[in-house]
Structure formats: structure tokens, C-alpha cells
């Protein structure tokens, strides 16, 4: 028997990394922890069908894990993983269906998700704003952020970075890729390149698609980039943006529905980096032309990210989360 079984949806690189970090934090707190992951699923046409095939995969993974490990408690990581759960448990999530699946996109998921939130033993949002759309469930909650740290230690920013801009695109429609490419074409100068990670397409002048990268390779790409740029329609936690800030990239973005934690950081250190859709191209150009020679911008971002350090998160897990999970 183990203490905690984590059922990871694992449909994105960021989600898998987040779940691995969560499991490691529980283990450092002394909990006997195992993680099972839903098997990869093919792309399908609609969000409603996408969530169904992934929820089924998560149910299969959960059943296997429950049988093998006999856990004291199950934590479903994302509400999608919990939609068809075989056993009641806690739910960890960054955003809820009323935000991420409006209208026809959440035709069956929203009502099922609400029932699961009411039935859960504990809710584990990664940010206080992640509870947006939950309604009154009566289920207790403990906020446990996702840890984000520099991949090269403090002060990783260098003005001599050789890549102008980078973006991460797990869902081109949701992340506003076409709009971003149009803006980039308007303002880029000769020799400047936008590197698009997470997606494979044919390269074009000034844009290079590098597909899915290993974690170390992706973080090395961030350390070489001056700017991380993205224009999402809706955003969850926004781990890619926080990792970019941690590795010294400037960040330019549009506002988006959802928790989107990086927005509150930008509001404190560089409000102009949160651009309207009309001003988005100009904001990219301003950021590229603002060379951070003394690293002040990166240093401000690093100070804002102090609350996301692993040791801070470990303290929350050990003193607040674990006692609630295992009582």
C-alpha cells in the first residue's frame, strides 16, 4: 500500500512536468507516492471529444494504479482526469471548464466537472484564481502552486542572447498562433527569428518550427532567447510563460481568460508588456529594442518568482496539503 496515487492526464509537456514536480514534493514531505499516466491519445476534431478520449484513458490508468498500489488517497491531476474516475479522490487543477470550455466546447464536461468538484475529498488548485467558475461546492481546498525556477541558476539573463523571440504552442488555436505570426511579420527586422516550440510545421522566413523538445533542450532555448511572446485566447496556469521569466526572457502577451498567473507579475514589473490586440505588434518591437544590459528587468522577474521556489512549495505540501489528504 502507498499513501498517494497521482493520476496524471499528461496530455501536454507542461502538464507532465507539473505532475512530476508534484509527486516529487509529496515524496520529499514523506508520503509514499506513485504516479500513473494516461496513455497518449490521437488528435480528434472537437474539445468535447478530446476530453472524452482523455478521460477514458485516465480512468484506465487510475484503475490500474488503484489495483497495483492500493493507495490511501487518489489525486486526479486535472478535472479531465477526474471526469470518469473509478474512485472518489482529490482533484488538482489549474483551470475549470467554465473558463476553458465555454459554449459547445464543454457541452457535457461542465456539468460532470461540477459534480466531481462537489464529490471530491479535497480540491488542490494551483492558484487562488484557478477556482474561478467552481461555484459553491462546499469542498475544502488547499492552494499548491507549481514550482518554477531558473534552469541555470540566478541571473541567467545575458544581453548577448542570439535568438530574438520564442513561443510555445501546445494548442495553436487556443494560444493564438496565427495572430502571433501576423504580428511578428509586421515588426520583425532582417535577421530576427521567432522560434516556435511544441509544434511541427514548415519553416517560413523569420519563423522556425522546432517541434516538441526535451525539457533540458527547451529550457536551453529559453536561455538563448531575448523575448517570449504569446497571444492566448484562454490560458490556464501559464507554466511556459513563468519558465520563460525564470530563465530571463522578457515576456509580451495579450490578456486572456483563465488564471494566467504571469499577468499579475507583469502588472507589477512591466504593465506595457500586457498589450491589447491592436498594440500587440508594437509591444513586441518595444521589448526587442529594450536591451536589458544590466539585467534589471530579469532581476525584478526573479524576485516576483520567489514564491514559486521548490522549498516554498515543499513547505505548503508538508504542512498544509499532506495532513489534509491523509487525515
Amino acid at each position: 500500500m502507498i499513501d498517494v496515487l497521482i493520476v496524471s492526464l499528461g496530455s501536454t509537456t507542461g502538464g507532465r512536468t507539473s505532475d512530476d514536480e508534484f509527486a516529487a514534493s509529496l515524496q520529499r514531505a514523506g508520503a509514499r507516492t506513485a504516479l500513473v499516466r494516461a496513455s497518449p491519445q490521437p488528435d480528434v476534431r472537437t474539445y468535447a471529444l478530446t476530453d472524452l478520449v482523455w478521460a477514458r484513458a485516465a480512468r484506465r490508468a487510475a484503475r490500474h494504479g488503484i489495483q497495483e498500489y492500493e493507495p490511501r488517497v487518489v489525486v486526479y491531476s486535472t478535472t479531465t482526469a477526474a471526469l470518469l474516475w473509478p474512485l472518489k479522490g482529490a482533484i488538482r487543477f489549474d483551470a475549470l471548464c467554465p473558463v476553458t470550455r465555454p459554449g459547445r466546447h464543454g457541452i457535457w464536461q461542465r456539468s460532470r466537472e461540477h459534480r466531481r468538484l462537489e464529490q471530491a475529498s479535497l480540491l488542490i488548485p494551483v492558484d487562488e484564481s484557478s477556482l474561478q467558475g467552481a461555484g459553491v461546492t462546499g469542498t475544502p481546498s488547499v492552494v499548491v502552486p507549481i514550482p518554477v525556477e531558473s534552469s541555470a541558476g540566478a541571473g541567467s539573463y545575458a544581453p548577448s542572447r542570439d535568438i530574438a523571440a520564442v513561443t510555445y504552442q501546445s494548442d495553436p488555436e487556443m494560444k493564438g498562433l496565427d495572430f502571433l505570426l501576423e504580428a511578428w511579420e509586421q515588426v520583425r527586422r532582417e535577421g530576427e527569428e521567432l522560434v516556435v516550440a511544441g509544434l511541427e510545421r514548415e519553416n517560413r522566413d523569420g519563423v522556425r518550427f522546432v517541434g516538441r523538445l526535451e525539457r533540458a533542450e527547451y529550457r536551453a532555448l529559453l536561455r538563448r532567447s531575448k523575448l517570449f511572446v504569446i497571444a492566448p485566447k484562454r490560458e490556464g496556469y501559464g507554466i511556459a510563460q513563468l519558465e520563460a521569466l525564470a530563465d530571463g526572457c522578457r515576456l509580451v502577451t495579450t490578456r486572456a481568460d483563465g488564471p494566467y498567473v504571469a499577468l499579475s507579475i507583469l502588472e507589477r514589473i512591466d504593465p506595457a508588456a500586457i498589450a491589447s490586440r491592436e498594440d500587440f505588434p508594437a509591444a513586441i518591437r518595444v521589448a526587442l529594442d529594450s536591451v536589458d544590459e544590466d539585467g534589471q528587468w530579469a532581476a525584478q522577474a526573479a524576485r516576483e518568482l520567489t514564491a514559486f521556489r521548490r522549498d516554498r512549495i515543499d513547505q505548503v505540501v508538508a504542512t498544509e496539503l499532506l495532513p489534509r489528504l491523509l487525515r
Side-chain angles (χ1 to χ4, degrees), residues 294-312:
D294 57 6
Q296 286 188 355
W297 200 97
Q300 284 182 289
R303 286 193 293 271
E304 291 288 341
L305 290 169
T306 300
F308 299 88
R309 289 189 339 220
R310 283 189 184 89
D311 58 343
R312 296 284 187 92

Side-chain angles (χ1 to χ4, degrees), residues 1-241:
M1 293 181 62
I2 62 169
D3 296 313
V4 183
L5 173 68
I6 300 169
V7 179
S8 167
L9 196 68
S11 57
T12 66
T13 301
R16 292 189 292 273
T17 301
S18 168
D19 292 338
D20 291 343
E21 287 275 8
F22 182 60
S25 185
L26 284 168
Q27 290 168 346
R28 288 191 292 270
R32 295 167 297 174
T33 305
L35 184 150
V36 294
R37 212 178 309 272
S39 59
Q41 299 299 302
D43 292 335
V44 292
R45 293 183 59 185
T46 67
Y47 286 121
L49 185 55
T50 295
D51 291 340
L52 178 60
V53 297
W54 278 101
R56 285 175 171 172
R59 180 173 59 185
R60 290 192 294 269
R63 284 174 171 165
H64 173 77
I66 292 166
Q67 182 177 7
E68 180 174 357
Y69 297 109
E70 300 181 20
R72 293 175 61 185
V73 64
V74 180
V75 176
Y76 298 91
S77 193
T78 79
T79 57
T80 303
L83 290 177
L84 302 178
W85 66 15
L87 183 68
K88 174 181 173 179
I91 306 176
R92 179 174 180 260
F93 58 92
D94 64 353
L96 299 175
C97 282
V99 173
T100 64
R101 298 290 189 263
R104 60 182 176 83
H105 298 300
I107 190 168
W108 71 274
Q109 306 98 303
R110 288 192 298 271
S111 59
R112 178 64 68 94
E113 178 188 79
H114 186 73
R115 288 200 298 273
R116 290 293 183 258
L117 296 175
E118 291 181 326
Q119 295 165 348
S121 57
L122 184 69
L123 302 182
I124 313 173
V126 297
D127 186 78
E128 194 67 42
S129 61
S130 298
L131 290 166
Q132 178 184 352
V136 179
T137 66
T139 307
S141 64
V142 177
V143 176
V144 181
I146 302 170
V148 179
E149 295 186 347
S150 168
S151 62
S156 61
Y157 184 84
S160 60
R161 294 182 177 211
D162 61 326
I163 296 173
V166 64
T167 188
Y168 178 75
Q169 294 285 320
S170 58
D171 183 336
E173 181 181 352
M174 193 84 74
K175 304 297 183 182
L177 178 61
D178 290 341
F179 174 75
L180 169 57
L181 294 179
E182 289 177 9
W184 178 251
E185 184 61 29
Q186 290 179 41
V187 300
R188 78 174 186 89
R189 293 176 183 161
E190 188 66 29
E192 290 181 334
E193 183 178 57
L194 169 66
V195 177
V196 182
L199 187 67
E200 292 185 0
R201 284 189 184 178
E202 187 174 342
N203 295 337
R204 62 175 77 176
D205 192 24
V207 181
R208 177 163 53 99
F209 292 85
V210 296
R212 294 183 179 181
L213 303 175
E214 295 295 329
R215 293 295 301 163
E217 189 177 4
Y218 173 68
R219 297 300 293 268
L221 177 66
L222 292 178
R223 295 195 301 271
R224 292 175 55 195
S225 302
K226 298 176 182 177
L227 174 67
F228 187 97
V229 61
I230 195 165
K233 298 176 182 177
R234 293 184 293 276
E235 186 59 273
Y237 193 73
I239 188 69
Q241 290 89 315

